[in-house]
Structure formats: C-alpha cells, structure tokens
Amino acid sequence: MDQKAILKTIKSHITENDIVLFMKGTKEMPQCGFSSAVSKLLTDLQLPYMAVNVLDSPEIREGIKEYTDWPTIPQLYVKGEFVGGYDIVREAYEAGELEGLLKDKGLLSQN
C-alpha cells in the first residue's frame, strides 16, 4: 500500500467507528502492557471498540504515528477525536475526564 492509501485506511477506521484503539496485539491477546491497560479500561467500561493490531501491518504502525503526529502506540480515538496514548488515557480516566468525554459523545450513559 502506498502512503496515501494507508492514511485513507486509517482515516476510515477512525471516522466509521465510535471508538478505535490502535494497539499492539488484539483485544483478546494484547502484545504490550500499555496496549493491554487501555484495552482493559475500555472493556471494564463495557464499551464496544474497534481494535487495530499495528503488529499486523508495519505500514499502519508507522502511518498512525504520522496521521496523529504522535510517536507511540497505543492511540485511542473517540468519535474521530484523538484522545491520546496510554499515559493521557490513564490520567483522563483517573480524573474522570474520560468518562465525561464518553458521556458528552453519547457513548456512556449519564447515570
């Protein structure tokens, strides 16, 4: 795949799914601790999400870094918006900001 096609694929994943996690490994078998932690957090919140295993495609792995101008994996997107990597997602979760964002986006009940 050429670079333009890779970026188009990444953009379609992000725009066609409410929550997308670019991660190392899969939901069922994460291949890094940071990816595992973000995946577990989403699972604990009982949120359906698309997981993109960047280990399956070196082009996607490098392309997502270029797309976001963010150097690390995992990367979490909610309703097309880049939320962050592991540290940012964890801090946002601990501060209640992640749940607030998910509620604002209509992905988590207001209860």
Side-chain angles (χ1 to χ4, degrees):
M1 250 194 293
D2 69 4
Q3 192 63 15
K4 194 172 187 176
I6 291 163
L7 294 177
K8 184 177 179 183
T9 298
I10 290 169
K11 184 174 183 174
S12 75
H13 288 326
I14 293 168
T15 57
E16 294 172 10
N17 297 279
D18 288 339
I19 303 173
V20 181
L21 178 61
F22 290 85
M23 63 183 290
K24 293 178 182 173
T26 64
K27 294 178 189 181
E28 298 78 20
M29 190 175 284
Q31 297 294 306
C32 105
F34 298 127
S35 291
S36 179
V38 176
S39 179
K40 182 178 180 344
L41 189 147
L42 294 172
T43 300
D44 288 350
L45 290 171
Q46 299 180 334
L47 294 168
Y49 65 96
M50 177 186 192
V52 178
N53 182 359
V54 300
L55 299 178
D56 284 345
S57 170
E59 296 88 0
I60 296 288
R61 184 177 183 168
E62 293 309 310
I64 192 61
K65 294 174 186 180
E66 178 183 327
Y67 184 88
T68 315
D69 195 23
W70 190 262
T72 60
I73 306 292
Q75 293 187 17
L76 179 65
Y77 292 79
V78 174
K79 291 277 190 171
E81 178 183 334
F82 176 59
V83 176
Y86 165 74
D87 288 338
I88 292 170
V89 171
R90 183 197 50 158
E91 290 170 12
Y93 176 75
E94 289 172 356
E97 295 167 1
L98 181 61
E99 289 181 69
L101 171 69
L102 295 165
K103 288 176 181 175
D104 290 348
K105 301 283 186 180
L107 300 172
L108 201 59
S109 68
Q110 296 290 333
N111 297 339

Tab-separated table of all heavy atoms in Angstrom, residues 54-111:
chain	number	residue	atom	x	y	z
A	54	VAL	N	-1.517	-3.041	15.171
A	54	VAL	CA	-0.474	-2.445	14.328
A	54	VAL	C	0.660	-3.421	14.050
A	54	VAL	O	1.451	-3.195	13.124
A	54	VAL	CB	0.083	-1.130	14.939
A	54	VAL	CG1	-1.025	-0.095	15.091
A	54	VAL	CG2	0.787	-1.378	16.250
A	55	LEU	N	0.734	-4.512	14.810
A	55	LEU	CA	1.768	-5.502	14.557
A	55	LEU	C	1.494	-6.294	13.278
A	55	LEU	O	2.399	-6.894	12.715
A	55	LEU	CB	1.908	-6.455	15.750
A	55	LEU	CG	2.304	-5.796	17.066
A	55	LEU	CD1	2.357	-6.836	18.180
A	55	LEU	CD2	3.624	-5.065	16.940
A	56	ASP	N	0.237	-6.270	12.820
A	56	ASP	CA	-0.125	-6.943	11.572
A	56	ASP	C	0.312	-6.168	10.342
A	56	ASP	O	0.357	-6.722	9.252
A	56	ASP	CB	-1.642	-7.162	11.486
A	56	ASP	CG	-2.111	-8.308	12.359
A	56	ASP	OD1	-1.273	-9.110	12.813
A	56	ASP	OD2	-3.335	-8.389	12.587
A	57	SER	N	0.584	-4.878	10.509
A	57	SER	CA	0.914	-4.041	9.359
A	57	SER	C	1.920	-2.957	9.743
A	57	SER	O	1.551	-1.968	10.384
A	57	SER	CB	-0.355	-3.374	8.810
A	57	SER	OG	-0.028	-2.394	7.860
A	58	PRO	N	3.174	-3.133	9.336
A	58	PRO	CA	4.162	-2.085	9.609
A	58	PRO	C	3.754	-0.738	8.997
A	58	PRO	O	4.058	0.314	9.557
A	58	PRO	CB	5.446	-2.606	8.962
A	58	PRO	CG	5.246	-4.070	8.791
A	58	PRO	CD	3.770	-4.293	8.671
A	59	GLU	N	3.019	-0.788	7.868
A	59	GLU	CA	2.579	0.457	7.222
A	59	GLU	C	1.575	1.203	8.099
A	59	GLU	O	1.658	2.417	8.245
A	59	GLU	CB	1.944	0.165	5.846
A	59	GLU	CG	2.900	-0.435	4.846
A	59	GLU	CD	2.993	-1.965	4.904
A	59	GLU	OE1	2.316	-2.596	5.732
A	59	GLU	OE2	3.777	-2.514	4.112
A	60	ILE	N	0.626	0.461	8.682
A	60	ILE	CA	-0.350	1.085	9.583
A	60	ILE	C	0.357	1.570	10.843
A	60	ILE	O	0.073	2.666	11.349
A	60	ILE	CB	-1.492	0.107	9.942
A	60	ILE	CG1	-2.309	-0.267	8.705
A	60	ILE	CG2	-2.372	0.674	11.049
A	60	ILE	CD1	-3.206	0.808	8.163
A	61	ARG	N	1.288	0.782	11.344
A	61	ARG	CA	2.026	1.145	12.564
A	61	ARG	C	2.736	2.487	12.397
A	61	ARG	O	2.692	3.338	13.282
A	61	ARG	CB	3.034	0.055	12.915
A	61	ARG	CG	3.755	0.298	14.208
A	61	ARG	CD	4.681	-0.857	14.528
A	61	ARG	NE	5.324	-0.666	15.809
A	61	ARG	CZ	5.997	-1.619	16.427
A	61	ARG	NH1	6.107	-2.824	15.897
A	61	ARG	NH2	6.566	-1.384	17.582
A	62	GLU	N	3.397	2.681	11.279
A	62	GLU	CA	4.071	3.956	11.028
A	62	GLU	C	3.090	5.030	10.586
A	62	GLU	O	3.227	6.191	10.946
A	62	GLU	CB	5.187	3.768	9.998
A	62	GLU	CG	6.337	2.917	10.517
A	62	GLU	CD	6.880	3.377	11.862
A	62	GLU	OE1	7.173	4.584	12.023
A	62	GLU	OE2	7.021	2.533	12.769
A	63	GLY	N	2.073	4.627	9.825
A	63	GLY	CA	1.090	5.579	9.310
A	63	GLY	C	0.296	6.266	10.399
A	63	GLY	O	0.009	7.458	10.317
A	64	ILE	N	-0.075	5.514	11.453
A	64	ILE	CA	-0.860	6.121	12.532
A	64	ILE	C	-0.029	7.151	13.288
A	64	ILE	O	-0.542	8.179	13.735
A	64	ILE	CB	-1.469	5.061	13.487
A	64	ILE	CG1	-2.511	5.703	14.413
A	64	ILE	CG2	-0.418	4.340	14.293
A	64	ILE	CD1	-3.678	6.329	13.713
A	65	LYS	N	1.262	6.900	13.393
A	65	LYS	CA	2.141	7.879	14.049
A	65	LYS	C	2.199	9.166	13.239
A	65	LYS	O	2.193	10.268	13.797
A	65	LYS	CB	3.536	7.292	14.226
A	65	LYS	CG	3.598	6.122	15.181
A	65	LYS	CD	4.984	5.510	15.201
A	65	LYS	CE	5.051	4.259	16.032
A	65	LYS	NZ	6.397	3.670	16.039
A	66	GLU	N	2.241	9.028	11.922
A	66	GLU	CA	2.248	10.206	11.045
A	66	GLU	C	0.887	10.904	11.061
A	66	GLU	O	0.809	12.122	11.139
A	66	GLU	CB	2.584	9.771	9.616
A	66	GLU	CG	2.573	10.917	8.629
A	66	GLU	CD	2.831	10.458	7.206
A	66	GLU	OE1	3.593	9.488	7.006
A	66	GLU	OE2	2.257	11.079	6.292
A	67	TYR	N	-0.178	10.117	11.013
A	67	TYR	CA	-1.540	10.659	10.971
A	67	TYR	C	-1.800	11.587	12.153
A	67	TYR	O	-2.377	12.651	12.018
A	67	TYR	CB	-2.538	9.499	10.970
A	67	TYR	CG	-3.972	9.912	10.823
A	67	TYR	CD1	-4.541	10.067	9.561
A	67	TYR	CD2	-4.775	10.128	11.935
A	67	TYR	CE1	-5.866	10.442	9.420
A	67	TYR	CE2	-6.103	10.509	11.808
A	67	TYR	CZ	-6.641	10.655	10.546
A	67	TYR	OH	-7.954	11.032	10.416
A	68	THR	N	-1.355	11.162	13.320
A	68	THR	CA	-1.616	11.903	14.551
A	68	THR	C	-0.458	12.809	14.961
A	68	THR	O	-0.627	13.672	15.799
A	68	THR	CB	-1.884	10.910	15.704
A	68	THR	OG1	-2.758	9.905	15.257
A	68	THR	CG2	-2.472	11.589	16.904
A	69	ASP	N	0.702	12.567	14.374
A	69	ASP	CA	1.930	13.219	14.819
A	69	ASP	C	2.162	12.894	16.300
A	69	ASP	O	2.452	13.754	17.121
A	69	ASP	CB	1.893	14.734	14.572
A	69	ASP	CG	3.274	15.363	14.695
A	69	ASP	OD1	4.283	14.648	14.534
A	69	ASP	OD2	3.353	16.571	14.976
A	70	TRP	N	1.970	11.610	16.612
A	70	TRP	CA	2.142	11.078	17.966
A	70	TRP	C	3.044	9.857	17.848
A	70	TRP	O	2.745	8.944	17.095
A	70	TRP	CB	0.779	10.703	18.536
A	70	TRP	CG	0.797	10.376	19.992
A	70	TRP	CD1	0.850	9.140	20.564
A	70	TRP	CD2	0.754	11.302	21.074
A	70	TRP	NE1	0.840	9.233	21.929
A	70	TRP	CE2	0.783	10.558	22.264
A	70	TRP	CE3	0.697	12.692	21.148
A	70	TRP	CZ2	0.760	11.157	23.523
A	70	TRP	CZ3	0.668	13.280	22.395
A	70	TRP	CH2	0.694	12.519	23.563
A	71	PRO	N	4.136	9.780	18.601
A	71	PRO	CA	5.156	8.774	18.337
A	71	PRO	C	4.912	7.368	18.893
A	71	PRO	O	5.641	6.444	18.570
A	71	PRO	CB	6.406	9.375	18.987
A	71	PRO	CG	5.862	10.180	20.131
A	71	PRO	CD	4.559	10.746	19.628
A	72	THR	N	3.912	7.198	19.747
A	72	THR	CA	3.788	5.909	20.433
A	72	THR	C	2.446	5.236	20.178
A	72	THR	O	1.470	5.871	19.784
A	72	THR	CB	3.989	6.080	21.948
A	72	THR	OG1	2.989	6.973	22.450
A	72	THR	CG2	5.371	6.606	22.282
A	73	ILE	N	2.433	3.947	20.452
A	73	ILE	CA	1.243	3.107	20.402
A	73	ILE	C	1.051	2.610	21.835
A	73	ILE	O	2.043	2.268	22.475
A	73	ILE	CB	1.477	1.893	19.458
A	73	ILE	CG1	1.931	2.343	18.074
A	73	ILE	CG2	0.262	0.979	19.399
A	73	ILE	CD1	0.914	3.073	17.255
A	74	PRO	N	-0.159	2.540	22.365
A	74	PRO	CA	-1.457	2.655	21.720
A	74	PRO	C	-1.889	4.099	21.494
A	74	PRO	O	-1.336	5.029	22.095
A	74	PRO	CB	-2.387	1.974	22.720
A	74	PRO	CG	-1.760	2.241	24.054
A	74	PRO	CD	-0.272	2.193	23.791
A	75	GLN	N	-2.895	4.226	20.621
A	75	GLN	CA	-3.530	5.510	20.367
A	75	GLN	C	-5.039	5.289	20.384
A	75	GLN	O	-5.543	4.402	19.696
A	75	GLN	CB	-3.107	6.089	19.023
A	75	GLN	CG	-1.652	6.490	18.976
A	75	GLN	CD	-1.298	7.218	17.697
A	75	GLN	OE1	-2.150	7.711	16.976
A	75	GLN	NE2	-0.003	7.294	17.419
A	76	LEU	N	-5.738	6.116	21.153
A	76	LEU	CA	-7.193	5.984	21.296
A	76	LEU	C	-7.902	7.153	20.616
A	76	LEU	O	-7.516	8.311	20.798
A	76	LEU	CB	-7.564	5.960	22.782
A	76	LEU	CG	-9.056	5.853	23.100
A	76	LEU	CD1	-9.631	4.516	22.621
A	76	LEU	CD2	-9.301	6.036	24.598
A	77	TYR	N	-8.939	6.808	19.853
A	77	TYR	CA	-9.785	7.793	19.180
A	77	TYR	C	-11.222	7.576	19.620
A	77	TYR	O	-11.685	6.441	19.694
A	77	TYR	CB	-9.714	7.624	17.655
A	77	TYR	CG	-8.361	7.977	17.095
A	77	TYR	CD1	-7.308	7.077	17.180
A	77	TYR	CD2	-8.127	9.215	16.528
A	77	TYR	CE1	-6.050	7.400	16.707
A	77	TYR	CE2	-6.871	9.543	16.047
A	77	TYR	CZ	-5.845	8.629	16.136
A	77	TYR	OH	-4.602	8.962	15.670
A	78	VAL	N	-11.921	8.681	19.898
A	78	VAL	CA	-13.330	8.629	20.262
A	78	VAL	C	-14.075	9.592	19.348
A	78	VAL	O	-13.761	10.790	19.320
A	78	VAL	CB	-13.542	9.006	21.745
A	78	VAL	CG1	-15.028	9.092	22.068
A	78	VAL	CG2	-12.842	8.007	22.660
A	79	LYS	N	-15.020	9.045	18.583
A	79	LYS	CA	-15.818	9.842	17.643
A	79	LYS	C	-14.927	10.716	16.766
A	79	LYS	O	-15.176	11.899	16.562
A	79	LYS	CB	-16.837	10.709	18.380
A	79	LYS	CG	-17.949	9.938	19.043
A	79	LYS	CD	-19.041	9.604	18.073
A	79	LYS	CE	-20.256	9.057	18.792
A	79	LYS	NZ	-21.393	8.921	17.927
A	80	GLY	N	-13.866	10.122	16.252
A	80	GLY	CA	-12.970	10.815	15.341
A	80	GLY	C	-11.925	11.694	15.999
A	80	GLY	O	-11.064	12.239	15.331
A	81	GLU	N	-11.997	11.839	17.307
A	81	GLU	CA	-11.083	12.721	18.043
A	81	GLU	C	-9.969	11.906	18.699
A	81	GLU	O	-10.233	10.913	19.380
A	81	GLU	CB	-11.882	13.463	19.113
A	81	GLU	CG	-11.076	14.386	19.986
A	81	GLU	CD	-11.926	15.029	21.074
A	81	GLU	OE1	-13.147	15.185	20.898
A	81	GLU	OE2	-11.348	15.363	22.126
A	82	PHE	N	-8.728	12.329	18.484
A	82	PHE	CA	-7.594	11.682	19.132
A	82	PHE	C	-7.608	12.029	20.612
A	82	PHE	O	-7.580	13.198	20.984
A	82	PHE	CB	-6.284	12.141	18.483
A	82	PHE	CG	-5.049	11.603	19.144
A	82	PHE	CD1	-4.842	10.235	19.252
A	82	PHE	CD2	-4.088	12.455	19.640
A	82	PHE	CE1	-3.697	9.726	19.861
A	82	PHE	CE2	-2.936	11.966	20.242
A	82	PHE	CZ	-2.744	10.599	20.350
A	83	VAL	N	-7.689	11.008	21.454
A	83	VAL	CA	-7.704	11.219	22.907
A	83	VAL	C	-6.286	11.223	23.441
A	83	VAL	O	-5.908	12.077	24.222
A	83	VAL	CB	-8.562	10.144	23.616
A	83	VAL	CG1	-8.500	10.313	25.124
A	83	VAL	CG2	-9.994	10.199	23.117
A	84	GLY	N	-5.474	10.238	23.028
A	84	GLY	CA	-4.096	10.178	23.476
A	84	GLY	C	-3.583	8.758	23.532
A	84	GLY	O	-4.244	7.811	23.115
A	85	GLY	N	-2.396	8.651	24.090
A	85	GLY	CA	-1.765	7.363	24.315
A	85	GLY	C	-2.041	6.892	25.728
A	85	GLY	O	-2.878	7.456	26.439
A	86	TYR	N	-1.308	5.901	26.154
A	86	TYR	CA	-1.544	5.273	27.452
A	86	TYR	C	-1.566	6.273	28.612
A	86	TYR	O	-2.516	6.302	29.391
A	86	TYR	CB	-0.499	4.180	27.710
A	86	TYR	CG	-0.466	3.753	29.156
A	86	TYR	CD1	-1.488	2.967	29.673
A	86	TYR	CD2	0.546	4.165	30.006
A	86	TYR	CE1	-1.478	2.590	31.008
A	86	TYR	CE2	0.555	3.786	31.339
A	86	TYR	CZ	-0.457	3.007	31.833
A	86	TYR	OH	-0.464	2.654	33.143
A	87	ASP	N	-0.530	7.076	28.738
A	87	ASP	CA	-0.440	7.985	29.892
A	87	ASP	C	-1.615	8.955	29.942
A	87	ASP	O	-2.206	9.171	31.003
A	87	ASP	CB	0.870	8.784	29.863
A	87	ASP	CG	2.084	7.932	30.187
A	87	ASP	OD1	1.930	6.873	30.827
A	87	ASP	OD2	3.196	8.328	29.791
A	88	ILE	N	-1.947	9.538	28.802
A	88	ILE	CA	-3.036	10.516	28.758
A	88	ILE	C	-4.374	9.847	29.053
A	88	ILE	O	-5.187	10.371	29.820
A	88	ILE	CB	-3.052	11.243	27.402
A	88	ILE	CG1	-1.807	12.133	27.296
A	88	ILE	CG2	-4.330	12.043	27.216
A	88	ILE	CD1	-1.573	12.725	25.933
A	89	VAL	N	-4.605	8.681	28.453
A	89	VAL	CA	-5.863	7.964	28.675
A	89	VAL	C	-5.991	7.568	30.142
A	89	VAL	O	-7.040	7.748	30.761
A	89	VAL	CB	-5.962	6.731	27.749
A	89	VAL	CG1	-7.152	5.861	28.124
A	89	VAL	CG2	-6.050	7.165	26.286
A	90	ARG	N	-4.915	7.052	30.719
A	90	ARG	CA	-4.953	6.646	32.137
A	90	ARG	C	-5.228	7.845	33.039
A	90	ARG	O	-6.063	7.787	33.934
A	90	ARG	CB	-3.629	5.984	32.534
A	90	ARG	CG	-3.626	5.466	33.980
A	90	ARG	CD	-2.233	5.210	34.428
A	90	ARG	NE	-1.553	6.455	34.064
A	90	ARG	CZ	-0.447	6.920	34.579
A	90	ARG	NH1	0.184	6.276	35.430
A	90	ARG	NH2	0.084	8.043	34.231
A	91	GLU	N	-4.529	8.949	32.799
A	91	GLU	CA	-4.735	10.149	33.614
A	91	GLU	C	-6.147	10.697	33.445
A	91	GLU	O	-6.776	11.117	34.425
A	91	GLU	CB	-3.689	11.207	33.266
A	91	GLU	CG	-2.294	10.840	33.732
A	91	GLU	CD	-1.208	11.751	33.178
A	91	GLU	OE1	-1.527	12.818	32.610
A	91	GLU	OE2	-0.020	11.389	33.315
A	92	ALA	N	-6.651	10.691	32.212
A	92	ALA	CA	-8.012	11.167	31.959
A	92	ALA	C	-9.036	10.272	32.657
A	92	ALA	O	-10.023	10.755	33.226
A	92	ALA	CB	-8.285	11.225	30.458
A	93	TYR	N	-8.783	8.973	32.648
A	93	TYR	CA	-9.678	8.031	33.324
A	93	TYR	C	-9.668	8.283	34.834
A	93	TYR	O	-10.723	8.387	35.466
A	93	TYR	CB	-9.267	6.592	33.016
A	93	TYR	CG	-10.092	5.580	33.753
A	93	TYR	CD1	-11.399	5.303	33.358
A	93	TYR	CD2	-9.577	4.906	34.856
A	93	TYR	CE1	-12.167	4.387	34.051
A	93	TYR	CE2	-10.333	3.981	35.549
A	93	TYR	CZ	-11.629	3.723	35.145
A	93	TYR	OH	-12.389	2.821	35.836
A	94	GLU	N	-8.481	8.391	35.410
A	94	GLU	CA	-8.363	8.589	36.863
A	94	GLU	C	-8.983	9.907	37.310
A	94	GLU	O	-9.508	9.996	38.419
A	94	GLU	CB	-6.898	8.508	37.282
A	94	GLU	CG	-6.338	7.093	37.189
A	94	GLU	CD	-4.838	7.005	37.417
A	94	GLU	OE1	-4.171	8.054	37.589
A	94	GLU	OE2	-4.325	5.869	37.419
A	95	ALA	N	-8.957	10.923	36.461
A	95	ALA	CA	-9.525	12.232	36.797
A	95	ALA	C	-11.018	12.318	36.477
A	95	ALA	O	-11.650	13.340	36.748
A	95	ALA	CB	-8.771	13.327	36.042
A	96	GLY	N	-11.577	11.255	35.883
A	96	GLY	CA	-12.989	11.270	35.497
A	96	GLY	C	-13.248	11.958	34.167
A	96	GLY	O	-14.393	12.053	33.723
A	97	GLU	N	-12.180	12.449	33.535
A	97	GLU	CA	-12.340	13.178	32.275
A	97	GLU	C	-12.703	12.257	31.116
A	97	GLU	O	-13.457	12.650	30.223
A	97	GLU	CB	-11.064	13.952	31.945
A	97	GLU	CG	-10.753	15.044	32.942
A	97	GLU	CD	-9.338	15.594	32.804
A	97	GLU	OE1	-8.593	15.144	31.907
A	97	GLU	OE2	-8.977	16.480	33.601
A	98	LEU	N	-12.191	11.047	31.118
A	98	LEU	CA	-12.502	10.119	30.031
A	98	LEU	C	-13.981	9.763	30.053
A	98	LEU	O	-14.643	9.790	29.018
A	98	LEU	CB	-11.639	8.855	30.121
A	98	LEU	CG	-11.876	7.826	29.009
A	98	LEU	CD1	-11.559	8.419	27.635
A	98	LEU	CD2	-11.035	6.583	29.255
A	99	GLU	N	-14.502	9.455	31.224
A	99	GLU	CA	-15.925	9.145	31.322
A	99	GLU	C	-16.765	10.349	30.921
A	99	GLU	O	-17.793	10.192	30.262
A	99	GLU	CB	-16.275	8.659	32.724
A	99	GLU	CG	-15.711	7.270	33.001
A	99	GLU	CD	-16.073	6.748	34.377
A	99	GLU	OE1	-17.261	6.454	34.594
A	99	GLU	OE2	-15.153	6.628	35.211
A	100	GLY	N	-16.331	11.552	31.286
A	100	GLY	CA	-17.031	12.764	30.874
A	100	GLY	C	-17.051	12.913	29.361
A	100	GLY	O	-18.089	13.240	28.775
A	101	LEU	N	-15.925	12.665	28.728
A	101	LEU	CA	-15.845	12.738	27.271
A	101	LEU	C	-16.774	11.713	26.634
A	101	LEU	O	-17.517	12.026	25.695
A	101	LEU	CB	-14.407	12.495	26.804
A	101	LEU	CG	-14.210	12.326	25.292
A	101	LEU	CD1	-14.458	13.642	24.567
A	101	LEU	CD2	-12.820	11.792	24.988
A	102	LEU	N	-16.757	10.493	27.155
A	102	LEU	CA	-17.607	9.432	26.611
A	102	LEU	C	-19.082	9.753	26.786
A	102	LEU	O	-19.903	9.481	25.908
A	102	LEU	CB	-17.254	8.097	27.250
A	102	LEU	CG	-15.850	7.579	26.925
A	102	LEU	CD1	-15.444	6.468	27.878
A	102	LEU	CD2	-15.758	7.123	25.485
A	103	LYS	N	-19.447	10.358	27.902
A	103	LYS	CA	-20.830	10.776	28.126
A	103	LYS	C	-21.206	11.907	27.174
A	103	LYS	O	-22.290	11.890	26.577
A	103	LYS	CB	-21.046	11.200	29.583
A	103	LYS	CG	-21.038	10.040	30.549
A	103	LYS	CD	-21.160	10.494	31.994
A	103	LYS	CE	-21.115	9.293	32.924
A	103	LYS	NZ	-21.101	9.704	34.340
A	104	ASP	N	-20.310	12.884	27.027
A	104	ASP	CA	-20.552	14.006	26.108
A	104	ASP	C	-20.771	13.526	24.678
A	104	ASP	O	-21.544	14.120	23.930
A	104	ASP	CB	-19.401	15.015	26.136
A	104	ASP	CG	-19.314	15.794	27.425
A	104	ASP	OD1	-20.278	15.742	28.244
A	104	ASP	OD2	-18.278	16.451	27.650
A	105	LYS	N	-20.076	12.467	24.310
A	105	LYS	CA	-20.151	11.934	22.948
A	105	LYS	C	-21.310	10.940	22.791
A	105	LYS	O	-21.514	10.371	21.742
A	105	LYS	CB	-18.846	11.253	22.542
A	105	LYS	CG	-17.632	12.148	22.578
A	105	LYS	CD	-17.584	13.072	21.404
A	105	LYS	CE	-16.268	13.857	21.395
A	105	LYS	NZ	-16.182	14.755	20.274
A	106	GLY	N	-22.056	10.701	23.896
A	106	GLY	CA	-23.201	9.811	23.845
A	106	GLY	C	-22.837	8.331	23.855
A	106	GLY	O	-23.649	7.492	23.454
A	107	LEU	N	-21.639	8.000	24.314
A	107	LEU	CA	-21.181	6.615	24.297
A	107	LEU	C	-21.268	5.938	25.656
A	107	LEU	O	-21.072	4.729	25.757
A	107	LEU	CB	-19.733	6.548	23.768
A	107	LEU	CG	-19.548	7.082	22.351
A	107	LEU	CD1	-18.083	7.166	22.007
A	107	LEU	CD2	-20.312	6.204	21.358
A	108	LEU	N	-21.551	6.706	26.686
A	108	LEU	CA	-21.647	6.173	28.038
A	108	LEU	C	-22.872	6.822	28.677
A	108	LEU	O	-23.070	8.033	28.513
A	108	LEU	CB	-20.369	6.526	28.818
A	108	LEU	CG	-19.995	5.720	30.043
A	108	LEU	CD1	-19.815	4.249	29.708
A	108	LEU	CD2	-18.717	6.259	30.650
A	109	SER	N	-23.677	6.045	29.354
A	109	SER	CA	-24.897	6.602	29.947
A	109	SER	C	-24.558	7.658	30.984
A	109	SER	O	-23.493	7.634	31.603
A	109	SER	CB	-25.767	5.504	30.545
A	109	SER	OG	-25.139	4.944	31.670
A	110	GLN	N	-25.479	8.549	31.207
A	110	GLN	CA	-25.269	9.673	32.121
A	110	GLN	C	-25.442	9.278	33.591
A	110	GLN	O	-25.269	10.083	34.464
A	110	GLN	CB	-26.264	10.805	31.793
A	110	GLN	CG	-26.064	11.403	30.422
A	110	GLN	CD	-24.796	12.207	30.297
A	110	GLN	OE1	-24.282	12.760	31.270
A	110	GLN	NE2	-24.250	12.296	29.087
A	111	ASN	N	-25.809	8.028	33.861
A	111	ASN	CA	-26.073	7.579	35.252
A	111	ASN	C	-24.849	7.663	36.101
A	111	ASN	O	-23.816	7.272	35.881
A	111	ASN	CB	-26.625	6.163	35.266
A	111	ASN	CG	-27.953	6.125	34.546
A	111	ASN	OD1	-28.613	7.146	34.391
A	111	ASN	ND2	-28.369	4.936	34.112
